Amino acid sequence: MKLMMMCCLLYQLKDLVEVVVRELVNTQHSITHDELLRAKTQLQSMLLMNLESRPIVFEDVGRQVLANGHRLSPQHYYELIGQLPPIAAAL
């Protein structure tokens, strides 16, 4: 199940619906190589930027230890994102 959440001011509702419909229609088409590279880079950047604050790092450690019994380094996830093949992105 996939979930999509949106919010906007009431006077922007028409614009929001147009953007959402356009993006949903675009999901029918395959992802270009440039789009995949851009998405990977953005995800890697977000991963590293989110771990810049000490409380977030502590939360990350706790979540991973509770879920997996151990913690994997941010570098591990950074490399996994970089190795993501185009076929996996289309799923």
Side-chain angles (χ1 to χ4, degrees):
M1 177 180 180
K2 295 186 181 185
L3 175 67
M4 183 187 312
M5 294 182 74
M6 301 147 283
C7 66
C8 71
L9 298 172
L10 190 56
Y11 71 90
Q12 295 175 320
L13 187 58
K14 181 179 181 281
D15 295 332
L16 175 70
V17 171
E18 288 175 4
V19 169
V20 170
V21 169
R22 183 178 62 241
E23 292 302 318
L24 287 173
V25 168
N26 287 339
T27 61
Q28 298 180 70
H29 308 293
S30 60
I31 298 169
T32 67
H33 180 70
D34 288 342
E35 289 173 321
L36 179 61
L37 287 178
R38 187 172 36 253
K40 285 181 186 181
T41 302
Q42 182 178 6
L43 186 56
Q44 289 169 325
S45 297
M46 288 173 55
L47 169 71
L48 297 177
M49 284 190 299
N50 284 339
L51 293 175
E52 286 183 352
S53 94
R54 185 167 287 161
I56 302 286
V57 172
F58 290 145
E59 182 182 332
D60 179 58
V61 170
R63 186 181 307 117
Q64 286 191 43
V65 170
L66 286 174
N68 304 323
H70 62 280
R71 179 177 187 250
L72 297 172
S73 70
Q75 183 64 30
H76 172 78
Y77 291 107
Y78 185 91
E79 291 169 2
L80 281 179
I81 293 166
Q83 295 168 4
L84 181 69
I87 191 73
L91 297 177

